[in-house]
Amino acid sequence: MEMLKTAARACLKLFKWASIFAVAFVGVLFAINAFDEPLKPEAAAAMRWPEPAVQDGDNGYFALAGLSAPSGQDAHAWGRRWIEAMNRARSQAEVEEVQKSLATTPLAFAGSAAVLCDFRGGQECAPQAARQAEAIARLTSDNAELLGRYSAIQGFPAVAEAYRPQSLSHPFVGLLIYS
């Protein structure tokens, strides 16, 4: 019986010291993180998102973001509105609101890309294209506006990222809207 009391006291003493250690450890962690030292200028500069060195009117990124703009609309202007709205969004709910407000019937690819060249197995493109010339011509005319948008992107002097994430936890915005 005496041995049982001694073992119980030892367990209580161990529990008491483990609890004191845990509380002290958490207190030290809070104390360490309670005060932030000022960032060095180099670190602060590295955390700033760089502004594109391209004027907005010369930036093909907006045209790329606007590839799915509705038929008849200027893809560059639509993409610019979309990116500016996303840059102002601060939460996933705001991102979803922007996507709803700009939701329209996107310009979609018409037809099937199956008539285009298949390079698997080392096949050459020219003979395939010659066999599918009529189907390729029809595909080209059916997608004239989309092809015009792709061609317009090539005419821009630069394509510079214009979306500025506010933090690593900011909702990701990809350009999958046009795929």
Side-chain angles (χ1 to χ4, degrees), residues 59-66 76 82-83 156 158-163 173 175:
N59 192 351
Y61 183 82
F62 296 116
L64 183 63
H76 187 271
W82 188 78
I83 293 296
F156 284 97
V159 176
E161 176 84 39
Y163 174 68
V173 177
L175 293 179

Side-chain angles (χ1 to χ4, degrees), residues 4-177:
L4 191 59
K5 286 181 182 178
T6 306
R9 271 190 236 120
C11 284
L12 282 173
K13 193 180 253 188
L14 181 66
F15 178 74
K16 177 181 80 171
W17 283 108
S19 298
I20 290 171
F21 177 75
V23 169
F25 181 72
V26 170
V28 167
L29 285 179
F30 277 112
I32 289 171
N33 291 308
F35 305 101
D36 287 336
E37 63 183 77
L39 287 177
K40 292 183 178 180
E42 300 85 18
M47 292 175 59
R48 280 194 299 276
W49 192 261
E51 290 295 322
V54 179
Q55 297 294 324
D56 285 354
D58 294 335
N59 192 351
Y61 183 82
F62 296 116
L64 183 63
L67 276 177
S68 67
S71 182
Q73 287 196 14
D74 179 19
H76 187 271
W78 192 90
R80 188 172 178 181
R81 279 195 318 273
W82 188 78
I83 293 296
E84 287 172 354
M86 293 307 262
N87 282 340
R88 285 190 305 270
R90 297 285 182 224
S91 66
Q92 184 63 37
E94 289 180 19
V95 167
E96 290 169 6
E97 189 62 36
V98 169
Q99 289 174 339
K100 283 181 194 173
S101 70
L102 293 176
T104 56
T105 304
L107 180 62
F109 181 78
S112 170
V115 299
L116 301 176
C117 294
D118 182 4
F119 294 104
R120 291 178 289 191
Q123 298 180 36
E124 292 184 22
C125 185
Q128 293 179 57
R131 286 191 301 272
Q132 298 287 345
E134 189 176 306
I136 291 172
R138 189 171 42 257
L139 193 62
T140 302
S141 67
D142 290 348
N143 292 289
E145 186 175 1
L146 189 58
L147 288 172
R149 289 180 181 182
Y150 278 110
S151 297
I153 291 171
Q154 295 175 3
F156 284 97
V159 176
E161 176 84 39
Y163 174 68
R164 292 180 294 280
Q166 281 70 29
S167 71
L168 292 176
S169 63
H170 191 73
F172 171 74
V173 177
L175 293 179
L176 298 176
I177 58 172

